[in-house]
Amino acid sequence: MKTHLLLIVAILTISCTQKTEKTYYSHEVSEKLSKELTRQFSQKDYPLPPPPISHSGIYMKVKGDSICKTDILNLHYVYNALNSNTEKETLEDFIYNAINQKTLFESGLYFYPNKCFTLTDSITEYYNSHPFDSFLNRYCKKQPDGTYHFKDNMEKEIPTISYYLYLNDYGMSQDCVSDYHIIHKSVF
């Protein structure tokens, strides 16, 4: 009996301390993005207009505890730059690892510096200690059409909030007329 109890405690201890990497986006998403980019850049003489998906914000982890916002077209340029002289990782695998926060990029090399930021501790703490619906309702207000807007006076917090929205498959666009950020379900 004592042996069984020790075995159960050991298993629970090991299972509770193992770090698991979360996956935010599926392989289907990275496959879709990869196909769109391949199609986009295969048109040498008559390039296609950028696919709508190319304007979706993507957040990348950068060395030095920063997060940088970019888009899928810039991510393609990063892929080409990083894989130009080495054995190439497939574009699909590169995208999968990037959008799922599994790749840590060099700071400042491929991203616009004004699009990089550090996460706000108080927002991160709230995100980690509450259900996502509570997080969404704390920082955003729902609109009649089912989209969301940031609550008033949140300009400084928008990058951190947007990052956590991205991790939960919420995309964002900015209305040119009203200057509102329009938040909607599904980045890709």
Side-chain angles (χ1 to χ4, degrees), residues 1-187:
M1 179 69 172
K2 216 177 201 183
T3 306
H4 288 112
L5 185 58
L6 287 174
L7 183 60
I8 291 171
V9 169
I11 290 171
L12 288 175
T13 303
I14 291 170
S15 66
C16 291
T17 59
Q18 287 181 336
K19 187 176 180 180
T20 58
E21 285 189 24
K22 185 166 182 176
T23 300
Y24 303 100
Y25 296 98
S26 68
H27 281 284
E28 288 79 23
V29 170
S30 59
E31 179 182 18
K32 176 182 175 183
L33 293 171
S34 174
K35 284 180 181 177
E36 282 290 330
L37 286 170
T38 301
R39 188 175 71 85
Q40 171 74 23
F41 289 100
S42 67
Q43 305 293 318
K44 303 246 187 259
D45 296 329
Y46 302 99
L48 297 168
I53 207 165
S54 67
H55 303 294
S56 296
I58 296 174
Y59 293 84
M60 316 310 310
K61 279 190 172 183
V62 177
K63 289 182 181 175
D65 295 330
S66 290
I67 304 292
C68 290
K69 182 179 179 184
T70 190
D71 59 48
I72 194 66
L73 294 177
N74 189 49
L75 192 60
H76 186 265
Y77 293 120
V78 172
Y79 167 77
N80 285 333
L82 291 176
N83 290 290
S84 61
N85 296 324
T86 62
E87 186 176 309
K88 283 196 171 201
E89 175 180 27
T90 67
L91 178 59
E92 184 180 330
D93 288 341
F94 176 80
I95 291 170
Y96 178 81
N97 289 326
I99 65 176
N100 281 298
Q101 313 294 290
K102 296 177 188 296
T103 302
L104 187 63
F105 291 94
E106 292 291 330
S107 64
L109 293 178
Y110 310 104
F111 307 104
Y112 300 109
N114 64 341
K115 298 285 186 177
C116 295
F117 57 94
T118 55
L119 297 172
T120 305
D121 290 339
S122 60
I123 296 171
T124 299
E125 287 172 20
Y126 191 88
Y127 175 79
N128 288 330
S129 62
H130 292 81
F132 179 71
D133 287 343
S134 176
F135 176 85
L136 183 64
N137 292 323
R138 179 179 177 112
Y139 297 108
C140 305
K141 55 186 171 188
K142 191 168 187 174
Q143 302 302 303
D145 65 356
T147 63
Y148 291 84
H149 292 176
F150 290 109
K151 289 187 176 177
D152 294 333
N153 303 318
M154 306 223 69
E155 277 69 36
K156 289 181 184 177
E157 294 88 357
I158 285 176
T160 300
I161 297 166
S162 298
Y163 172 70
Y164 289 119
L165 291 171
Y166 164 81
L167 294 181
N168 287 276
D169 197 25
Y170 278 79
M172 188 174 54
S173 55
Q174 194 165 358
D175 185 317
C176 298
V177 177
S178 66
D179 200 34
Y180 273 118
H181 290 89
I182 302 167
I183 303 160
H184 50 85
K185 183 69 175 144
S186 187
V187 174

